[in-house]
Amino acid sequence: MEVNYAEKVLGGSIRALSRLISYLEDEDEEAYAVLEMLYPFTGTSYIIGITGSHGTGKSTLTGRLTHVIRREGLTVGIVAVDPSSPFTGGALLGDRIRMGELSTDPGVFIRSMATRGSLGGLARATRDVVKVLDAFGKDVIIVETVGVGQDEVDIVSIADSVCLLLVPGLGDAIQMMKAGLMEIADIFVVNKADRPGADQLNAEIRMRIKQGEQFKPTEWGLPIVETIAVDGKGIEDLWQTIKQHRNFLEKSGKLIERRQEQIGQETLRVIHEQLFRVIRQRLQDSGHLDCIGQEVMKGKHNPYSTAREIIKSWLPACPI
Ligand SMILES: Nc1nc2c(ncn2[C@@H]2O[C@H](COP(=O)(O)OP(=O)(O)O)[C@@H](O)[C@H]2O)c(=O)[nH]1
Ligand SMILES: [Mg+2]
């Protein structure tokens, strides 16, 4: 990476932007240095999380929402995360086709991301790409992610407003409650409202919100928006609701609070990643890693005591 990517990205080069993102996806050390240079230029984008089970209409809705936002003259960055789709998988292609008309709009930048090699790699890459798009100057960034099961992308740690999509007839609400996902929503979206059962789902969510309030009172009313994403119905409503949420966060000081918390968590994650990387490297280089198994098999140690000793040798002050 001999050219100055930071300067080019800040200058509006889409080519440099795409390349930098690829380097970040590959966990390139130099790309991280560029990210650091870009950091002072971040913080101005508004970040929307669109989450929900597979097939609930997230991509369709993201496309429609982008159209509505573009009509106001705002620029949009889209990061579509699908851990289940391989690099060239069908879902990726599907997203591209559905969002096809948007891809010719210079005010829209779309990036689809799939599973990366290392554990947590996708989560890190997603956050990094959002930061780069922020520095690039996108007014709004939409992150689409499957929020069910072992999803490694924690959308709450990325987004300012989280929209949770539910659809009638799937028993989805129950599933979401079990997964603790209802708690992360700022806005509930009942998509596929053209299907039977939308009213029932609406009532279920309302009940759930009421129950939740007993434990955690919230000043934000947790609105429910009904949409038919395929027809573009309710999307304008959704955008207005997102703007109201933004307004609420800004006026109450909660936007700053939320972002400060995210920065704290992000710093912890970087410490975790870097410490792990350094220790792994040293253990591999010194050949120590190969010996650990032998030692444990001989009955001298166990992985827990070994880990403790290693950490202690690195951080003598560490109380473990
Ligand atoms: N009937 C109906 N189908 C929809 C609606 N929104 C999306 N779909 C369809 O649901 C399927 C999955 O949509 P997609 O956007 O790929 O969902 P994702 O997996 O959550 O991104 C597609 O066939 C869409 O055309 C809707 O409001 N009503
Ligand atoms: Mg999708």
Side-chain angles (χ1 to χ4, degrees):
M1 290 184 70
E2 62 298 337
V3 280
N4 189 344
Y5 272 88
E7 219 165 77
K8 291 199 168 177
V9 168
L10 293 172
S13 162
I14 301 227
R15 209 175 126 93
L17 177 68
S18 302
R19 287 212 175 156
L20 176 59
I21 290 175
S22 298
Y23 282 119
L24 286 168
E25 285 180 325
D26 292 340
E27 301 181 26
D28 183 295
E29 285 300 326
E30 284 176 68
Y32 291 146
V34 175
L35 190 63
E36 213 167 319
M37 282 190 246
L38 291 175
Y39 193 82
F41 301 92
T42 64
T44 51
S45 302
Y46 195 75
I47 298 150
I48 302 169
I50 304 283
T51 192
S53 312
H54 201 73
T56 45
K58 295 180 299 297
S59 297
T60 314
L61 183 124
T62 297
R64 294 289 186 161
L65 183 60
T66 302
H67 276 297
V68 170
I69 298 171
R70 288 293 294 139
R71 277 210 296 271
E72 291 192 4
L74 300 173
T75 56
V76 181
I78 299 172
V79 187
V81 188
D82 193 343
S84 62
S85 71
F87 305 115
T88 54
L92 217 69
L93 201 63
D95 288 345
R96 288 259 162 79
I97 289 167
R98 265 192 290 282
M99 294 182 184
E101 43 187 317
L102 290 174
S103 57
T104 53
D105 177 350
V108 178
F109 182 89
I110 306 176
R111 187 73 175 205
S112 289
M113 328 231 330
T115 317
R116 309 306 302 182
S118 67
L119 190 69
L122 185 63
R124 157 125 216 207
T126 304
R127 279 193 301 273
D128 293 346
V129 172
V130 168
K131 282 276 169 275
V132 171
L133 288 173
D134 190 344
F136 185 73
K138 289 297 178 196
D139 296 311
V140 177
I141 300 168
I142 305 179
V143 182
E144 177 203 327
T145 176
V146 182
V148 187
Q150 64 286 12
D151 185 18
E152 56 173 303
V153 179
D154 174 14
I155 195 68
V156 178
S157 72
I158 298 175
D160 298 316
S161 295
V162 175
C163 304
L164 176 63
L165 260 69
L166 297 165
V167 296
L170 282 188
D172 223 26
I174 313 281
Q175 211 184 319
M176 293 283 172
M177 281 174 214
K178 280 193 191 143
L181 261 153
M182 301 291 271
E183 278 70 31
I184 69 163
D186 298 300
I187 296 164
F188 289 95
V189 180
V190 173
N191 189 39
K192 307 200 184 181
D194 52 319
R195 290 195 177 167
D199 290 346
Q200 195 195 332
L201 176 57
N202 213 307
E204 252 175 68
I205 298 169
R206 228 172 267 286
M207 199 174 68
R208 172 66 196 178
I209 293 171
K210 254 196 157 30
Q211 284 170 349
E213 272 171 357
Q214 295 168 359
F215 309 108
K216 199 179 73 186
T218 162
E219 299 153 53
W220 171 245
L222 290 173
I224 306 172
V225 182
E226 286 196 8
T227 56
I228 304 173
V230 268
D231 299 337
K233 289 211 176 102
I235 306 296
E236 180 63 45
D237 251 14
L238 176 61
W239 175 232
Q240 292 308 325
T241 309
I242 292 168
K243 285 203 286 190
Q244 280 165 15
H245 185 233
R246 177 180 191 166
N247 201 29
F248 163 78
L249 291 176
E250 283 174 351
K251 289 253 165 72
S252 61
K254 287 193 188 306
L255 185 64
I256 291 174
E257 233 174 73
R258 191 168 174 147
R259 288 186 173 181
Q260 279 174 350
E261 205 180 309
Q262 289 171 345
I263 291 168
Q265 291 302 322
E266 174 67 6
T267 308
L268 266 183
R269 265 190 297 269
V270 175
I271 292 173
H272 174 94
E273 279 160 19
Q274 292 192 349
L275 263 186
F276 178 74
R277 196 151 11 113
V278 167
I279 292 181
R280 181 179 58 190
Q281 196 65 51
R282 293 291 170 97
L283 286 177
Q284 278 171 347
D285 291 351
S286 66
H288 191 168
L289 196 59
D290 299 328
C291 305
I292 291 174
Q294 289 170 16
E295 300 282 304
V296 171
M297 294 289 259
K298 280 186 206 154
K300 286 188 187 159
H301 299 281
N302 61 55
Y304 318 104
S305 60
T306 309
R308 248 192 328 267
E309 269 169 35
I310 292 167
I311 294 173
K312 261 206 175 308
S313 74
W314 279 81
L315 300 166
C318 188
I320 74 165

